Amino acid sequence: MKAFITGITGQDGSYLAELLLDKGYEVHGMIRRSSSFNTKRIDHIFDRITLHYGDMTDGPSLLNLISTIRPTEIYNLAAQSHVMVSFANPEYTTQTNALGILKILEANRILGLNARVYQASSSEMFGSAPSPQLEITPFHPCSPYGTAKLYAHWICKNYRASYNMFVSTGILFNHESPRRGETFVTRKVSKAVANIWHRKQEFVTLGNLNALRDWGHAKDYVRAMWMMLQQDKPDDYIIATGETHRIRSLVEVAFNCANMRITWSGEGLDEVGTDQHGVVRVRIDPRYIRPNEVDILCGRPLKAGHKLNWQPEISFGSLIYDMVMYDINEISSSK
C-alpha cells in the first residue's frame, strides 16, 4: 500500500505517518518549500518516508505529485488550521482549506487512479448548531475556517456521488497532543504551565474561559482516519469523545499536573486565576476572544463506534498530563 499525506509535518500528519509505517505502508508526504525546514515532528522517521514539495493552492503541482506517486490512499490533512487566524486571512484560508481538496479530487478523477481519499473535516462546521452534534446535525459555521471546511466537506460528498469515488470524511472534534501547535489553547496552556513551573513565565493570558470543547488525543483520531479507508464503502464519520470540558477546567487540570491549584475570582475581563500562594497565574485578554464565538462543541461518535468499532483510548486527564509533562521535560532538557 502507498499513502500520500498532505500536511505530513503537522500534528496529525506525523502521527498518521507513524501509524502507516507500522502497518507496512510506503509513505509519501507533501511539504511547502521554505527557507528553513519545518520537519521537527517527523525528524525521527525522516529516513523512512519520501517528501515532495508542493502547495495546496497550486493545482498543477498537486496533479503532478499525485501522478508521480500514484498512491492507493490519499489523506488530506493540510490546512490553515487556526480559527482565529481565519478571520484575519479569510481568502488564504479559503484557498487552502476549501479549494485544496477540490484540486486533489480532480487530480484523482483526471488520472483515473481510484485512490481512496480521506478529507479532514472539522467540528467547526457545526458552529452554533445545537449540541451534541451527530452526522445529521445541520451545519452552521461561525468562522471563515468553518465555512471553508464546509465547502470541502460538501465537495467530497459531491464527488463521491457524481463519480463513484471513494471519499470518506472525518468530522474531527478538537484533538491535541504534545505535537499540537503552540498557538492552540491546549498547548498554550501546557507550555505556560511548564514555563511557570520553571519560573520562566509569571502568568498566561486567555480569552473565553467558559467555552466548552470535546477534546481527545490525536493518536486516537489518526487511527480512525486509517480505519475509514479500510471500509467497503466510503462515508462520513464524527470522531469525538462525547465529553466536554470548559477551558477553565483545562487550565485547572493542567496546573494541577504541576502541583498548582488555581482559584478564580472577579468577573468578565477582570477575572483572574491565582495559585495556592495567591499569585495571579491566569489573566483575560479581549484580543483572544473571537468575533463570533462558538460556545459549545460536543460530538456523538455513534456511527464510528458501530461501523468502525472505534473508541477513544486516551482520557482527557491523561492527554493534558502528557502535554504538560512533555513541555516541562523539554525545558529541562534544554538547560
Side-chain angles (χ1 to χ4, degrees):
M1 299 289 283
K2 188 186 297 186
F4 174 48
I5 305 172
T6 69
I8 194 170
T9 60
Q11 169 190 252
D12 292 4
S14 62
Y15 282 124
L16 178 62
E18 289 175 352
L19 176 72
L20 297 179
L21 287 171
D22 288 344
K23 293 183 178 297
Y25 278 68
E26 178 183 326
V27 177
H28 295 255
M30 187 180 78
I31 61 173
R32 286 179 296 176
R33 185 179 294 277
S34 65
S35 58
S36 60
F37 273 132
N38 179 29
T39 59
K40 179 181 178 180
R41 296 183 182 96
I42 55 172
D43 281 348
H44 62 294
I45 55 172
F46 198 83
D47 60 344
R48 300 173 61 198
I49 60 178
T50 303
L51 298 179
H52 308 263
Y53 287 114
D55 195 288
M56 294 302 292
T57 64
D58 186 350
S61 75
L62 282 169
L63 178 64
N64 180 61
L65 277 180
I66 294 171
S67 176
T68 300
I69 299 167
R70 305 193 72 81
T72 51
E73 295 177 2
I74 299 173
Y75 295 86
N76 181 40
L77 309 183
Q80 188 297 100
S81 57
H82 205 288
V83 175
M84 195 70 177
V85 171
S86 76
F87 286 99
N89 298 294
E91 184 174 340
Y92 174 73
T93 299
T94 301
Q95 289 287 340
T96 303
N97 297 8
L99 300 183
I101 184 60
L102 173 63
K103 296 175 175 66
I104 288 174
L105 294 172
E106 270 293 277
N108 197 26
R109 183 186 68 83
I110 291 169
L111 296 169
L113 285 181
N114 294 318
R116 295 190 169 198
V117 180
Y118 169 80
Q119 163 63 14
S121 290
S122 169
S123 60
E124 289 289 337
M125 301 187 306
F126 291 117
S128 61
S131 181
Q133 292 100 11
L134 297 99
E135 289 84 357
I136 60 173
T137 300
F139 297 112
H140 198 290
C142 293
S143 66
Y145 173 87
T147 303
K149 280 290 189 179
L150 184 53
Y151 172 88
H153 182 76
W154 275 105
I155 202 65
C156 286
K157 293 168 75 74
N158 182 268
Y159 269 67
R160 186 166 67 206
S162 300
Y163 303 112
N164 195 31
M165 192 177 290
F166 195 110
V167 187
S168 284
T169 69
I171 307 174
L172 272 59
F173 281 65
N174 296 68
H175 49 290
E176 320 297 319
S177 75
R179 298 181 190 177
R180 187 62 144 153
E182 294 178 13
T183 58
F184 292 88
V185 66
T186 48
R187 189 73 195 289
K188 180 179 180 180
V189 169
S190 70
K191 189 77 172 178
V193 170
N195 281 329
I196 291 169
W197 193 86
H198 280 284
R199 299 183 179 180
K200 296 170 66 69
Q201 182 175 334
E202 184 177 345
F203 60 86
V204 59
T205 53
L206 299 170
N208 181 10
L209 294 175
N210 292 316
L212 282 160
R213 292 293 182 269
D214 185 329
W215 280 299
H217 200 296
K219 284 185 177 180
D220 283 335
Y221 287 43
V222 300
R223 177 166 49 86
M225 297 175 191
W226 174 79
M227 294 171 79
M228 290 178 209
L229 296 196
Q230 312 315 307
Q231 304 306 301
D232 293 333
K233 295 180 180 180
D235 208 339
D236 308 311
Y237 298 89
I238 279 182
I239 304 300
T241 69
E243 299 178 358
T244 57
H245 302 270
R246 295 189 188 278
I247 291 177
R248 68 174 65 249
S249 297
L250 160 69
V251 171
E252 292 166 4
V253 172
F255 274 94
N256 190 55
C257 291
N259 296 318
M260 288 182 276
R261 296 187 304 276
I262 296 297
T263 302
W264 305 99
S265 61
E267 296 182 358
L269 297 178
D270 295 323
E271 184 173 12
V272 295
T274 56
D275 65 16
Q276 63 267 39
H277 304 295
V279 179
V280 173
R281 297 304 188 186
V282 185
R283 296 184 185 275
I284 307 301
D285 190 325
R287 292 178 299 174
Y288 298 119
I289 298 177
R290 299 178 187 175
N292 192 6
E293 186 64 79
V294 175
D295 293 323
I296 178 171
L297 288 171
C298 179
R300 285 289 181 265
L302 302 179
K303 183 193 288 186
H306 176 67
K307 288 193 171 183
L308 304 179
N309 196 29
W310 177 88
Q311 296 290 338
E313 297 176 352
I314 303 172
S315 70
F316 175 73
S318 295
L319 163 66
I320 302 307
Y321 180 84
D322 188 21
M323 296 175 70
V324 171
M325 290 301 103
Y326 174 85
D327 285 327
I328 287 177
N329 292 332
E330 275 284 286
I331 297 173
S332 297
S333 63
S334 65
K335 288 183 176 180

